[in-house]
Amino acid sequence: MGRVRQARKTTARRSGDWQEFQLIDWIRQCTQNQAIRREIHIGDDASSYRASGTMNELVTCDAMIEDVHWSWDWCDPRSLGYKIVAVNLSDIAAMGGIPKRAHLVLALPWQQKKAVVQPMLRSLIKTLNRHQVVLAGGDTVFSSGPMMITLTLQGEVAPQEMLLRSQAKEGDLLFVTGDLGAAAAGLDLLKQYKKVPSHYTVLTKKLLAPIPRVEAGRLLAHSGKVHAMLDLSDGLAGDVRHLAKASQVGIRLYTEYIPIALATRVAARHLKKDPLFYALCGGEDYELLFTASPKYTSEIFRLVQDKAKLSCHIIGQVVNKRQGIYQILPNGSRAPLPAGWQHPA
Ligand SMILES: [Mg+2]
């Protein structure tokens, strides 16, 4: 692991003797008794509450810190502006929502040049505009620390269409959009090369410019055929665990059906890495992971492949909680899922 990923591992995911998900669980427990809890859901990709009228309001927030989530060695200002919007859009997409308004908090080092900030903000605003999202407010501050950019994104969804992580049902099939592991391979390439060979651009683009699956998320939510959904940001192995825990189910994953692009496989061989490790543990794929009854398989494929023009794959099945979370290897044997870097022992 390189410096940047290592920094993320220790700084973003662990703080002192806490791990990130332990901290989130503790906050959730502390707020369990709030009187308004019945109308507010936390723990999904976005929080939601019933606003006035007929729609649920969705709110999500993502922060990115220099030398933790990006390094200027391999990320340009325009990519940063795009990506902070894309990762937030992905969370709204995971709930089946329509993005509406954004608030930006920018913490800039004193010496930060206009030549960095302006293209970053132009790209951010252009990306918001493309999704008809209004930049409604925020704050800018200067600090002696590294640069930090935080975007809060609000969206809305009809209550009956909102998709949570907690509704997966035993017997459901597990679907995923796109392919996995490309962003992680792209990160390794960017750390290895000053100029990444052009035939790997498809991988670095997946890291620097992920496409949020807003349209597919809306189509799936509106169809009423999907039980549970989330976006893949922590690596398939980590996010499958989130789904299983929230839904109180087990998951059987078929390793050979996990979609990995040829470019990811070629790069993995070149970098002497396992492409499956990239797909299971790499993170930052920003694809959709969802469950639905097998009887809706052709309808799901029609929506994702024909309407949203995305590839779609069945990679596993929802099983009873007692069976746990595991993978079936190509030779038919059963193996535990790797923990990956998100869940250090
Ligand atoms: Mg998410």
Side-chain angles (χ1 to χ4, degrees):
M1 291 283 168
R3 181 176 59 88
V4 173
R5 175 55 62 85
Q6 188 63 33
R8 180 177 175 139
K9 187 176 175 180
T10 52
T11 310
R13 302 287 168 166
R14 294 188 91 136
S15 166
D17 54 357
W18 292 79
Q19 290 180 14
E20 182 187 13
F21 298 120
Q22 290 175 331
L23 175 59
I24 293 169
D25 273 347
W26 184 80
I27 293 171
R28 189 183 295 139
Q29 280 162 23
C30 288
T31 57
Q32 211 83 57
N33 295 326
Q34 287 178 357
I36 51 174
R37 173 62 56 227
R38 272 168 296 149
E39 292 133 44
I40 295 192
H41 304 273
I42 62 170
D44 271 275
D45 293 284
S47 68
S48 75
Y49 68 98
R50 177 70 73 94
S52 58
T54 56
M55 301 295 269
N56 274 8
E57 181 99 10
L58 303 170
V59 184
T60 184
C61 180
D62 252 301
M64 293 175 71
I65 301 172
E66 183 180 348
D67 285 334
V68 176
H69 299 96
W70 85 89
S71 160
W72 292 126
D73 291 344
W74 49 261
C75 183
D76 62 287
R78 273 204 298 267
S79 295
L80 178 64
Y82 171 88
K83 187 163 176 177
I84 190 69
V85 178
V87 299
N88 275 282
L89 286 169
S90 181
D91 277 331
I92 296 292
M95 306 285 290
I98 304 160
K100 289 286 178 185
R101 287 170 299 281
H103 287 77
L104 172 71
V105 176
L106 204 51
L108 296 172
W110 291 108
Q111 74 280 8
Q112 193 74 72
K113 295 275 194 296
K114 221 193 267 184
V116 169
V117 180
Q118 281 186 330
M120 192 267 293
L121 286 177
R122 276 197 204 103
S123 166
L124 181 149
I125 292 164
K126 193 173 148 192
T127 312
L128 288 174
N129 286 345
R130 202 180 304 144
H131 288 269
Q132 285 99 48
V133 177
V134 178
L135 185 58
D139 196 11
T140 50
V141 291
F142 290 89
S143 84
S144 53
M147 181 170 161
M148 179 168 143
I149 179 166
T150 304
L151 196 78
T152 302
L153 187 60
Q154 290 168 272
E156 61 182 35
V157 63
Q160 68 276 14
E161 293 185 2
M162 185 167 76
L163 292 171
L164 306 174
R165 301 169 173 203
S166 56
Q167 302 302 308
K169 307 266 182 292
E170 199 180 327
D172 277 359
L173 294 177
L174 187 65
F175 296 81
V176 70
T177 61
D179 62 89
L180 307 183
L187 178 63
D188 274 353
L189 288 164
L190 284 166
K191 287 190 297 191
Q192 174 137 339
Y193 291 102
K194 257 203 151 27
K195 187 164 172 28
V196 175
S198 59
H199 54 278
Y200 287 136
T201 309
V202 64
L203 303 179
T204 53
K205 250 186 108 173
K206 279 284 274 186
L207 176 77
L208 298 172
I211 299 173
R213 305 309 190 188
V214 181
E215 189 193 359
R218 280 296 307 136
L219 287 166
L220 290 167
H222 186 65
S223 75
K225 305 286 190 276
V226 171
H227 284 149
M229 187 156 79
L230 68 161
D231 72 329
L232 288 171
S233 54
D234 294 331
L236 181 63
D239 285 318
V240 154
R241 285 187 171 85
H242 297 154
L243 178 74
K245 186 178 175 192
S247 292
Q248 293 292 298
V249 294
I251 299 281
R252 179 195 301 135
L253 210 60
Y254 291 95
T255 309
E256 64 186 309
Y257 299 139
I258 296 172
I260 302 174
L262 182 61
T264 306
R265 293 182 188 278
V266 172
R269 192 182 313 147
H270 178 78
L271 295 162
K272 298 187 171 42
K273 294 280 178 68
D274 179 1
L276 195 59
F277 178 81
Y278 281 143
L280 284 170
C281 310
E284 301 220 75
D285 294 301
Y286 299 109
E287 296 293 347
L288 295 174
L289 179 73
F290 56 96
T291 80
S293 163
K295 67 182 174 197
Y296 297 130
T297 301
S298 54
E299 174 72 357
I300 299 281
F301 276 93
R302 190 183 67 76
L303 289 172
V304 178
Q305 294 189 328
D306 300 349
K307 288 198 118 181
K309 307 289 180 211
L310 276 178
S311 64
C312 185
H313 305 267
I314 296 168
I315 58 168
Q317 193 154 27
V318 178
V319 296
N320 192 280
K321 189 184 177 190
R322 285 194 305 276
Q323 292 188 48
I325 302 163
Y326 59 97
Q327 54 180 329
I328 302 291
L329 300 174
N331 65 10
S333 65
R334 179 180 161 146
L337 270 190
W341 59 268
Q342 306 84 342
H343 294 270

